[in-house]
DNA sequence: TCTGGTGCTTGATAAAAGTCAATTGAAAAG
DNA sequence: CTTTTCAATTGACTTTTATCAAGCACCAGA
């Protein structure tokens, strides 16, 4: 493993507080793997053998049932994933695939559970990570239950613009079909929703979105910090 | 606080492994409170002052935005709630109200975070609790995204019958309107869905549900362990 | 330059879910 | 025993979302 990769992992809140010796145990047991675009890393229903840490690229999490499929989230580096399944040693509830060429550090689940029992700082970090993720999904569920797909899109645009520095314009970081699935809608409906937003000054040119009338968009979206604010 | 109440709290997985002295610190700082039916305990957006432990009764968790409201879950005793907000010292994402007359043990959030830092067994228990809850909501989100309301109802009936010992008949433990909101639908649609299920042998008489043809119901519901099995 | 592929868009239609209003029915209150 | 109340149901209608099919635009490779 390259030194810079180790440093990226060490810098994660999940690992930064733990004892040096324990971290080195984990890293020694782990290894790095590179994956091309659109490769399946994990399939829902399987047992986890490794805690995954995304160092480079991005990962899409999805789930499937009765022939239907939905995207639950995307992960950008750096970040650990499938922590809950590893901790509980239970089946994955989601599938994961690369959304671009990615580099992932794999740490044996057994080692994680082991160190978790011995390093209080690591245990605290795991708790914080889980608590944050938990709250993230509560927000997703509220988003899904309390809003129409048009409203979810409007709020996503506002939130993403915020994330990009409130420039009023940004490039969609994923395919539109992937965005549709992330927002819990079909690609056809995403197109129609963009067309509707054009009326209130949202300009869409290919993957570029421009907000011409933020007030109007916010009026439609009615953003709610308890759903949309990633810091809360 | 009555001795039996303390014992109920102590017996919770969340508290059973921790050091006696630490548990007594928590209990000494806490106190019991009784609430009548339909009383608001917490309102989303507020800061948590106490970890709540439900000893008796039941609690409904809901959320509201742009005038719409949805029920996210019910809690039966014994069980702790708002753990994530307490641990992170952040705002509630859900509101809680009693779904029947209830008894709740309140433990100051500060004390919980304090003991959490000093008792590794407690920290482990918190992690396990959070991980289980996290997975619970992932399943809720999948349920919402991948199924129609009729399918959610069919699966709820199967799961609840299972929980009641697979007797083929049970009484709905909450008002139908509450069940509708829990399943992410309107009461009117719940009625219509029950009427549809009558065609495949689901008999509904007031609050009593009888499954006359489990195979047919399962054929419609297509239960999926990665959504419906509470043990996974 | 042409060609095939792929992702996106558009249109027509159907299914799912929500809304509004009226009615039923059963339990609680007088 | 009657009246009141309120959850539950039913009907008519609208909105939202999905589905199916066709068309368009853009890029990669021949």
């Amino acid at each position: 493993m390259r030194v810079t990769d180790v440093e990226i992992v060490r810098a994660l809140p999940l690992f930064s507080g733990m004892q040096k010796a324990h971290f080195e145990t984990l890293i020694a047991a782990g290894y790095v793997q590179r994956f091309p675009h659109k490769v399946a890393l994990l399939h829902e229903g399987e047992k986890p053998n490794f805690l995954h840490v995304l160092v480079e690229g991005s990962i899409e999490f999805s789930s499937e049932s009765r022939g239907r499929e939905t995207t639950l989230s995307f992960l950008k580096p750096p970040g650990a994933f499938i922590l809950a399944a590893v901790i509980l040693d239970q089946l994955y509830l989601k599938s994961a695939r690369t959304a671009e060429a990615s580099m992932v550090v794999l740490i044996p689940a057994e080692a994680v559970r082991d160190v978790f029992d011995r390093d209080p700082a690591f245990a605290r970090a795991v708790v914080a990570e889980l608590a944050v993720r938990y709250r993230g999904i509560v927000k997703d569920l509220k988003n899904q239950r309390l809003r129409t797909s048009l409203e979810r899109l409007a709020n996503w645009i506002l939130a993403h613009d915020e994330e990009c520095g409130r420039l009023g314009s940004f490039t969609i970081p994923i395919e539109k079909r992937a965005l549709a699935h992330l927002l819990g809608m079909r690609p056809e409906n995403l197109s129609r929703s963009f067309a509707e937003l054009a009326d209130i000054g949202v300009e869409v040119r290919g993957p570029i979105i421009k907000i011409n009338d933020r007030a109007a968009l916010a009026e439609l979206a009615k953003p709610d910090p308890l759903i949309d604010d990633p810091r809360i």
Side-chain angles (χ1 to χ4, degrees), chain A:
Chain A
M1 204 180 302
R2 294 180 310 186
V3 175
T4 59
D5 300 338
V6 173
E7 279 167 359
I8 290 172
V9 177
R10 178 61 161 168
L12 280 173
L14 188 58
F15 299 103
S16 62
M18 71 193 304
Q19 285 178 37
K20 195 157 180 286
H22 291 152
F23 178 72
E24 276 158 10
T25 306
L26 289 182
I27 280 295
Y31 56 99
V32 178
Q33 210 157 340
R34 290 184 165 279
F35 300 95
H37 184 46
K38 289 203 172 164
V39 167
L41 301 185
L42 314 165
H43 216 274
E44 54 186 322
E46 293 172 352
K47 256 281 175 87
N49 294 316
F50 298 94
L51 175 66
H52 290 56
V53 181
L54 178 64
V55 171
E56 206 181 289
S58 71
I59 309 286
E60 177 181 3
F61 296 91
S62 64
S63 199
E64 182 266 327
S65 198
R66 37 167 71 229
R68 300 164 198 157
E69 198 189 339
T70 189
T71 297
L72 298 165
S73 62
F74 280 85
L75 182 70
K76 294 248 118 201
F81 56 102
I82 56 156
L83 183 56
V86 164
I87 289 293
L88 296 177
D89 196 21
Q90 286 192 322
L91 307 183
Y92 302 137
L93 296 178
K94 316 175 194 170
S95 300
R97 63 172 160 268
T98 52
E100 44 187 306
S102 300
M103 189 166 74
V104 176
V105 174
L106 301 161
I107 303 174
E110 193 55 53
V112 173
R113 287 190 291 268
D114 221 63
V115 170
F116 170 78
D117 280 338
R118 287 184 290 119
D119 193 313
F122 182 52
R124 273 196 293 278
V126 169
V127 165
E129 177 89 12
L130 283 174
V132 168
R133 302 276 170 132
Y134 171 82
R135 290 168 62 88
I137 306 207
V138 170
K139 290 179 207 162
D140 289 342
L141 186 57
K142 289 170 63 172
N143 195 29
Q144 185 72 34
R145 284 262 184 102
L146 295 168
R147 287 174 172 159
T148 66
S149 59
L150 179 67
E151 291 162 0
R152 292 196 296 276
L153 173 60
N155 278 293
W156 182 87
I157 292 173
L158 283 174
H160 194 77
D161 179 56
E162 203 76 42
E163 203 183 309
C164 293
R166 213 186 166 88
L167 305 173
S169 178
F170 61 87
T171 301
I172 306 176
I174 51 179
E175 284 180 347
K176 283 185 186 170
R177 63 202 319 278
L179 177 59
H181 290 132
L182 177 65
L183 293 173
M185 61 203 287
R186 303 284 132 204
E188 293 95 324
N189 279 330
L190 180 64
S191 274
R192 286 186 257 267
S193 295
F194 274 134
E196 274 193 73
L197 292 182
D199 301 342
I200 58 166
V202 176
E203 236 176 282
V204 182
R205 280 179 168 276
I208 299 167
I209 293 184
K210 188 154 167 257
I211 302 169
N212 288 317
D213 184 347
R214 187 187 303 272
L217 182 57
E219 168 60 25
L220 172 79
K222 292 200 178 31
D224 177 340
L226 297 178
I227 298 178
D228 306 295
D229 192 331
R231 294 159 306 172
I232 286 181

